[in-house]
């Protein structure tokens, strides 16, 4: 394709498509030793055999995000017309054709419908009960919400300093990093209002507020961690979070596929880590998300 494959890597990264790069043998050592010539054919055959046997085993690809994406897997490398005109396509043209087809793949999620369902849920959840057991004590969140004192921990070699924020949306400012933080931990003593904060944040998003901050995300997904204990994958978590209507046009699988493909545009709020338990801590999808082993480009808030 090219020396070093730097351009291919850049294209794959931008399109979020997995690639296998197979580099052919262009020369053997410095190419000046006549004794090497008798081994060149053998070396080429062994290299091709190794690649062939590696790629035969689907285990190599099972951890790829698009492994189960049948639409992506069924895309041909080139059109039928191209095959007739150019029966002996080069590897370069095949790869280019595959990239073009991938770019044209439509998203299976109807984003507007998904946003509509999420905003409906967050708008319905717009009250706070002053007395937990008295439904009549419910007050609209805009009237009862009190701006907390937000302190951002700033770590450097000299230690940890704290910076007071003017508004909760300032947590999305990168400060010295100049980009939105990908992992945000919100902590405080019990009862101080961490859960009400998540309720307020999702309601503000549903009202199209703070466009440059929380409003810039296409999707804001609120998960109560006490409802998803012992679940082993992210789709199961999204399903049990009850964010979508079970009989609606948008499925959890569609939602998860969109999240994987557009991670930079998704805010995931995980509320109540102190209430979350998982029988196998190392396999916890919540821990894997926090450690960026999954959904590393999503913005994640955990309380």
């Amino acid at each position: 394709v090219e020396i070093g494959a730097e351009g291919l890597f850049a294209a794959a990264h931008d399109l979020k498509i997995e690639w296998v790069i197979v580099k052919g043998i262009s020369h053997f050592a410095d190419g000046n030793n006549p004794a090497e010539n008798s081994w060149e054919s053998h070396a080429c055959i062994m290299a091709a055999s190794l690649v062939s046997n590696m790629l035969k085993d689907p285990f190599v690809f099972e951890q790829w995000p698009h492994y189960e994406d049948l639409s992506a897997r069924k895309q041909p490398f080139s059109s039928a017309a191209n095959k007739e005109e150019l029966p002996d396509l080069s590897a370069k043209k095949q790869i280019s054709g595959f990239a073009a087809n991938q770019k044209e793949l439509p998203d299976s999620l109807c984003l507007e419908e998904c946003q509509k369902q999420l905003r409906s849920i967050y708008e319905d959840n717009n009250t706070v009960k002053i007395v937990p057991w008295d439904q009549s004590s419910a007050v609209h969140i805009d009237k009862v919400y009190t701006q907390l004192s937000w302190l951002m921990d700033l770590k450097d070699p000299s230690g940890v300093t704290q910076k007071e924020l003017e508004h909760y949306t300032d947590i999305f400012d990168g400060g010295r990093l100049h980009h939105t933080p990908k992992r945000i931990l919100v902590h405080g003593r019990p009862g101080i209002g961490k859960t009400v904060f998540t309720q307020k944040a999702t309601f503000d998003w549903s009202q199209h507020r703070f466009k440059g901050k929380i409003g810039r995300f296409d999707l804001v997904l609120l998960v109560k961690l006490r409802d998803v204990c012992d679940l082993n994958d992210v789709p199961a978590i999204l399903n049990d979070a009850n964010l979508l209507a079970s009989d609606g046009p948008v499925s959890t699988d569609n939602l998860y596929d969109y999240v994987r493909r557009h991670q930079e545009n998704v805010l995931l709020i995980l509320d109540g880590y102190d209430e979350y338990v998982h029988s196998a801590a190392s396999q916890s999808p919540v821990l894997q998300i926090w450690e960026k082993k999954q959904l590393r480009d999503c913005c994640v808030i955990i309380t």
Side-chain angles (χ1 to χ4, degrees):
V1 179
E2 59 176 324
I3 297 176
E6 293 179 2
L8 178 59
F9 170 79
H13 182 272
D14 291 343
L15 296 174
K16 294 204 166 30
I17 299 172
E18 300 80 21
W19 293 81
V20 173
I21 300 176
V22 180
K23 299 188 68 174
I25 300 173
S26 60
H27 59 79
F28 298 80
D30 59 5
N32 295 321
N33 188 351
E36 293 175 353
N37 294 338
S38 61
W39 288 96
E40 288 186 2
S41 297
H42 179 72
C44 291
I45 292 171
M46 293 303 294
S49 175
L50 175 62
V51 171
S52 175
N53 281 279
M54 286 178 61
L55 302 187
K56 279 180 183 177
D57 191 341
F59 174 79
V60 176
F61 309 105
E62 285 177 354
Q63 299 302 316
W64 287 15
H66 293 86
Y67 176 72
E68 296 296 339
D69 189 343
L70 295 180
S71 61
R73 292 169 64 190
K74 290 181 180 178
Q75 290 296 317
F77 284 116
S78 59
S79 67
N82 286 339
K83 287 181 179 178
E84 292 177 2
E85 296 170 3
L86 300 171
D88 186 22
L89 288 175
S90 67
K92 180 176 181 179
K93 289 186 177 292
Q94 290 183 14
I95 293 175
S96 299
F98 181 71
N101 285 333
Q102 288 293 313
K103 187 181 293 187
E104 295 170 1
L105 282 176
D107 287 319
S108 57
L109 176 79
C110 178
L111 180 60
E112 291 185 2
E113 178 60 33
C114 187
Q115 291 173 331
K116 179 181 177 181
Q117 289 198 39
L118 291 171
R119 288 192 166 104
S120 176
I121 292 174
Y122 301 149
E123 287 170 357
D124 290 343
N125 189 31
N126 65 359
T127 59
V128 177
K129 288 185 286 186
I130 305 302
V131 181
W133 55 85
D134 184 1
Q135 186 63 39
S136 65
S137 69
V139 179
H140 194 280
I141 193 167
D142 278 344
K143 294 182 178 180
V144 73
Y145 184 76
T146 301
Q147 178 64 34
L148 300 174
S149 177
W150 286 84
L151 298 174
M152 177 182 288
D153 290 342
L154 302 174
K155 299 181 180 180
D156 56 42
S158 62
V160 178
T161 58
Q162 291 187 324
K163 173 186 175 183
E164 186 168 0
L165 306 180
E166 295 182 3
H167 194 269
Y168 84 81
T169 55
D170 291 339
I171 64 177
F172 298 109
D173 293 339
R176 291 172 297 181
L177 300 176
H178 302 294
H179 60 76
T180 301
K182 296 299 185 183
R183 298 296 183 268
I184 303 171
L185 173 64
V186 176
H187 61 92
R189 60 177 174 79
I192 200 172
K194 298 184 295 295
T195 293
V196 176
F197 149 68
T198 66
Q199 186 178 344
K200 171 67 171 170
T202 52
F203 181 72
D204 283 345
W205 177 80
S206 74
Q207 301 303 299
H208 306 276
R209 297 171 179 171
F210 309 114
K211 288 291 187 180
K213 298 187 177 181
I214 194 171
R216 74 172 182 80
F217 294 102
D218 290 341
L219 296 178
V220 175
L221 308 175
L222 173 59
V223 176
K224 303 289 186 181
L225 291 179
R226 65 172 178 266
D227 297 332
V228 298
C229 296
D230 276 330
L231 297 181
N232 293 320
D233 55 60
V234 177
I237 287 177
L238 295 178
N239 183 67
D240 281 27
N242 295 318
L243 296 170
L244 303 173
S246 59
D247 58 349
V250 181
S251 71
T252 301
D253 289 340
N254 293 151
L255 175 59
Y256 177 57
D257 184 63
Y258 185 89
V259 170
R260 285 193 302 106
R261 292 173 179 267
H262 304 274
Q263 295 183 32
E264 298 89 347
N265 301 325
V266 177
L267 172 61
L268 180 61
I269 303 177
L270 306 173
D271 180 40
Y273 190 68
D274 55 324
E275 301 177 82
Y276 176 75
V277 293
H278 195 281
S279 56
S282 62
Q283 299 176 13
S284 163
V286 172
L287 182 61
Q288 291 177 357
I289 290 172
W290 181 252
E291 293 179 341
K292 294 187 178 181
K293 295 178 181 177
Q294 294 194 54
L295 304 182
R296 65 181 55 186
D297 290 324
C298 279
C299 181
V300 179
I301 295 176
I302 190 166
T303 71

